[in-house]
């Protein structure tokens, strides 16, 4: 399949089969995350892999929209490092790029995934920091649920010509 198809066909998957993801596949996905672009190539991220059911249960207790962990094989918490980032706030953008790489790599390897938001909600950040015993300079950014999909979702139409401008805000790029 073409890379462009992988990008357009990736969907958030929230129901997974019993099949567990093997450690080589987890490594391949994490490798893709670590190949994301980052400001000044500082790679200010860390990844906490969750593969223990009691931990999945605890996450579902502290996050109101993480029920898909009920069937997930693994989850990854993408974290940003304030001491490694280029300047204030860069950790967020860099972790966003890493998270998207992670989702696309998972899809290309036949897995389903779902981005579950942590940052910027303060109460979620605090709860995850406590649960994972993160040092104070490491902030949880997003949780990614992973597993073999047990649901299929069609590609929706998302290209909106009116969102594209030419050489400034006033002129549409596409004029029929
Ligand atoms: C920052 C962010 C936070 C999200 N948080 C959640 C979440 O808490 N729970 C969830 O089920 N999906 C969450 N999602 C997934 C979105 O609902 C999903 O990406 C969106 O509906 C588009 O669908 P698609 O991913 O299938 O294209 C989140 C996505 C992003 C980017």
């Amino acid at each position: 399949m073409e890379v462009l198809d992988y990008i357009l066909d990736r969907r958030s998957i929230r129901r997974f089969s019993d099949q567990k993801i093997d450690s080589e596949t987890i490594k391949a996905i994490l490798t893709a995350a670590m190949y994301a672009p980052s400001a000044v190539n500082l790679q200010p991220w860390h990844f906490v892999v969750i593969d223990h059911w009691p931990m999945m249960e605890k996450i579902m207790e502290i996050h109101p929209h993480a029920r898909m962990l009920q069937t997930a094989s693994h989850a990854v918490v993408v974290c940003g490092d304030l001491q490694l980032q280029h300047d204030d706030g860069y950790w967020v953008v860099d972790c966003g790029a890493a998270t998207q790489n992670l989702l696309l790599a998972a899809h290309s390897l036949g897995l389903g995934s779902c981005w579950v938001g942590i940052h910027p909600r303060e109460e979620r950040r605090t709860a995850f920091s406590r649960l994972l015993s993160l040092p104070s300079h490491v902030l949880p950014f997003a949780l990614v649920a992973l597993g073999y999909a047990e649901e299929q979702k069609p590609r929706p139409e998302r290209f909106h010509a009116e969102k594209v401008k030419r050489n400034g805000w006033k002129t549409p790029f596409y004029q029929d």
Side-chain angles (χ1 to χ4, degrees):
M1 206 192 278
E2 296 292 329
V3 172
L4 192 55
D5 284 322
Y6 282 116
I7 293 171
L8 302 189
D9 286 333
R10 179 216 53 82
R11 295 277 73 75
S12 291
I13 296 300
R14 299 183 178 87
R15 274 194 295 125
F16 304 100
S17 75
D18 289 344
Q19 190 181 345
K20 294 288 172 209
I21 305 170
D22 63 53
S23 56
E24 277 310 298
T25 305
I26 292 292
K27 188 175 179 187
I29 294 168
L30 294 171
T31 304
M34 292 184 205
Y35 270 74
S38 62
V40 199
N41 195 21
L42 287 172
Q43 305 165 37
W45 42 57
H46 303 276
F47 304 91
V48 181
V49 178
I50 311 290
D51 61 357
H52 187 50
W53 172 245
M55 202 57 147
M56 295 279 202
E57 282 185 308
K58 284 184 187 151
I59 292 174
M60 287 188 277
E61 283 167 22
I62 64 171
H63 198 297
H65 307 296
R67 298 305 304 168
M68 77 294 284
L69 292 186
Q70 200 75 40
T71 56
S73 164
H74 287 67
V76 174
V77 182
V78 180
C79 302
D81 192 323
L82 298 177
Q83 291 177 354
L84 293 179
Q85 68 174 340
H86 172 50
D87 214 339
D88 264 3
Y90 275 86
W91 72 276
V92 175
V93 217
D94 295 341
C95 284
T99 304
Q100 179 68 356
N101 265 21
L102 206 152
L103 300 183
L104 290 173
H107 180 51
S108 79
L109 293 170
L111 298 171
S113 67
C114 186
W115 179 325
V116 177
I118 300 176
H119 178 83
R121 291 193 184 273
E122 193 58 49
E123 74 282 5
R124 289 186 195 166
R125 284 213 329 227
T126 306
F128 274 89
S129 292
R130 275 207 197 108
L131 180 65
L132 306 177
S133 308
L134 300 179
S136 57
H137 63 281
V138 175
L139 300 180
F141 172 73
L143 173 91
V144 178
L146 292 164
Y148 286 90
E150 193 132 276
E151 60 177 340
Q152 287 196 336
K153 293 183 169 177
R155 182 192 294 185
E157 181 53 58
R158 284 196 188 157
F159 179 78
H160 300 293
E162 72 278 9
K163 295 218 173 204
V164 190
K165 318 293 183 198
R166 187 185 295 267
N167 299 320
W169 187 253
K170 289 185 182 154
T171 313
F173 188 82
Y174 296 101
Q175 314 203 40
D176 302 339

